[in-house]
Amino acid sequence: MAQLDTIVIATDSARLNGGTAKVAFIEAKGLVAMGYRVIFFAPTGPVDPDLAASGVEVICLNEPDVLDDPNRLRAMRRGIWNVGAARALRATLAPLDPVRTAIHAHSFSRALSPALGPVLTGAGFPSLFTMHEYFLACPNGGFYDYRKEEICTRRPLGPRCMSTNCDARSGLQKGWRVARQVALWGPGGLPRKLRHIAYISETQLAAMRPYLPAGAQLHHILNPVEIDLNAPRVAAENNDVFLFIGRLMPEKGALDFARAAKVAGVRAVFLGSGPQEAEIRAANPEAELAGWVSPAEVAQWLARARALVFPSLWYEGYPLVTCEALGVGVPCIVGKWSAAHEMVEDGVNGIVYDRREALAGALGRLRDTATVAAMSRAAYARRVHYAASPETHCAHVIEVLEEVISIRG
């Protein structure tokens, strides 16, 4: 049997614009370091300079993100079926040896579109699809009703789903998402034609399992997190900052945190920006909104944190920020519905609360210095278990891709 030597990573963006892109970048650079030829294919640019300089072969179409494209009709059309991206991906694959090459797809919802499906499953190459969210099943990708601000249990594309405007923007946007989902399940052939699917948490798998093909092989691949295992523990017990890191969007629970911090009388700091900034300032005038900051500044804020607060209201797949905080000994306060709770043992290395109204009480539990010190030490002691190192992640990806090739052969 020929040996795998080339991996084509297909994803929406060649710029660092979120957690999925970060995982794809770390993986691409790590696989190159292991000696593999890596071709990184993405419709949306511009290309990240570090990715371009890493030895990864980047093929970027420099299309605008569907959310940023000023030509809305073009954006809607490309979002449902991006003919150009599918054609370019086929052209990228054409000169490659299918016996020595595998495709690893990470996302399609922002640029690749459901047109990825026939290429991924019908171009003759072994392939793996990693779920970073829930777009294979749910039109809005989150099993979340943005209007009611609650987790959605309606069956995707069922009568109740089709008759409910759950979209964060408008009913027209929901209609567009439904059209994309029809294209995905129909001519896109996803997920029904997938034979190998990776998931990133048990929380994600539980939500998605009813919608995955019975014959697909499921692989649990942890996201890579760059944690310096030699970094000293953050003495959280000496700090007073309760830290939020992320977009200031309704589904992220930032406003819940602002209100709860006001009730609990704790110092709230927000790293990020978004449409809820004004509401957060009104709900908690003492809160500090620092906006987006550099990775080095994030590390500086974590060093000043008593706890990281992760109040997200939906089924977050596996939030990297909680891994990073716990890895340096910062206790985390998380809701039991997101995958963040898989990293936190209540009362040991953080707090898991069971309903939104309980967040203020959870913050209050960390007033006691001895409690915070014990949680910080416990979090730090477990730092190797929260996620995979980049090296471990890449080794696991190769293990799965070699299995995919061997089964195909």
Side-chain angles (χ1 to χ4, degrees):
M1 183 180 69
Q3 184 178 4
L4 172 69
D5 61 18
T6 302
I7 298 100
V8 177
I9 294 177
T11 191
D12 283 324
S13 179
R15 62 185 172 94
L16 190 57
N17 62 353
T20 298
K22 185 175 183 179
V23 170
F25 281 24
I26 291 173
E27 179 182 303
K29 291 185 280 190
L31 293 176
V32 164
M34 292 173 67
Y36 290 91
R37 180 187 181 192
V38 177
I39 301 173
F40 193 100
F41 179 91
T44 301
V47 177
D48 181 83
D50 289 339
L51 182 66
S54 67
V56 174
E57 300 174 37
V58 182
I59 297 177
C60 178
L61 307 184
N62 283 312
E63 297 177 349
D65 186 295
V66 294
L67 294 179
D68 301 329
D69 191 342
N71 186 328
R72 298 314 299 156
L73 287 177
R74 180 179 63 189
M76 292 173 69
R77 184 177 64 252
R78 284 196 299 108
I80 293 174
W81 200 265
N82 192 336
V83 175
R87 185 184 299 120
L89 181 55
R90 286 188 185 276
T92 299
L93 295 170
L96 303 177
D97 182 355
V99 178
R100 306 173 69 91
T101 304
I103 309 170
H104 188 187
H106 283 275
S107 60
F108 63 85
S109 64
R110 301 286 289 271
L112 276 175
S113 84
L116 167 70
V119 184
L120 190 62
T121 62
F125 288 80
S127 64
L128 170 70
F129 183 90
T130 289
M131 301 184 295
H132 291 276
E133 9 60 5
Y134 303 94
F135 279 110
L136 286 180
C138 175
N140 72 23
F143 288 115
Y144 186 75
D145 188 327
Y146 289 85
R147 299 287 170 152
K148 293 186 176 180
E149 297 188 5
E150 63 185 21
I151 289 171
C152 175
T153 57
R154 305 176 188 94
R155 183 167 184 82
L157 298 193
R160 293 176 61 230
C161 170
M162 299 282 278
S163 62
T164 301
N165 177 16
C166 60
D167 196 83
R169 295 178 180 84
S170 67
L172 179 63
Q173 178 82 0
K174 171 65 184 283
W176 175 82
R177 290 183 185 276
V178 166
R180 181 180 63 188
Q181 203 70 19
V182 170
L184 182 73
W185 288 4
L190 301 182
R192 72 177 187 280
K193 291 186 178 181
L194 291 174
R195 294 295 170 259
H196 292 272
I197 302 171
Y199 62 97
I200 58 177
S201 69
E202 296 300 328
T203 298
Q204 181 193 58
L205 180 61
M208 283 297 303
R209 192 184 286 277
Y211 309 102
L212 300 179
Q217 297 240 359
L218 304 178
H219 309 272
H220 189 188
I221 300 180
L222 288 175
N223 278 338
V225 178
E226 297 176 289
I227 296 175
D228 182 359
L229 298 180
N230 296 315
R233 176 182 74 88
V234 170
E237 64 274 16
N238 297 332
N239 298 333
D240 67 345
V241 170
F242 286 75
L243 190 64
F244 175 97
I245 303 174
R247 289 172 293 140
L248 306 183
M249 306 284 285
E251 70 273 17
K252 291 295 185 179
L255 187 57
D256 277 12
F257 171 44
R259 291 167 173 161
K262 180 71 173 176
V263 171
V266 302
R267 181 184 175 189
V269 175
F270 294 80
L271 305 185
S273 63
Q276 286 196 310
E277 288 184 23
E279 290 180 89
I280 289 168
R281 293 185 191 278
N284 189 340
E286 292 79 29
E288 301 169 50
L289 279 68
W292 290 115
V293 299
S294 69
E297 290 172 300
V298 170
Q300 291 170 8
W301 276 109
L302 280 172
R304 300 165 60 187
R306 193 172 185 86
L308 177 87
V309 183
F310 192 81
S312 186
L313 304 178
W314 66 292
Y315 296 135
E316 291 267 5
Y318 206 79
L320 301 180
V321 66
T322 50
C323 300
E324 294 165 352
L326 290 165
V328 293
V330 175
C332 290
I333 301 174
V334 305
K336 73 171 185 178
W337 45 86
S338 85
H341 86 273
E342 296 179 29
M343 313 172 212
V344 178
E345 184 178 353
D346 185 54
V348 178
N349 61 341
I351 296 173
V352 180
Y353 60 100
D354 61 359
R355 52 195 174 82
R356 294 172 64 178
E357 298 76 17
L359 179 53
L363 297 172
R365 288 173 61 185
L366 293 189
R367 288 195 183 94
D368 181 70
T369 298
T371 297
V372 177
M375 287 185 179
S376 174
R377 293 189 183 99
Y380 186 71
R382 300 180 180 190
R383 61 193 181 281
V384 299
H385 301 296
Y386 297 123
S389 68
E391 295 77 15
T392 300
H393 170 85
C394 289
H396 195 181
V397 168
I398 291 299
E399 178 184 326
V400 171
L401 292 179
E402 287 179 342
E403 178 186 341
V404 171
I405 283 184
S406 67
I407 292 173
R408 179 180 178 274

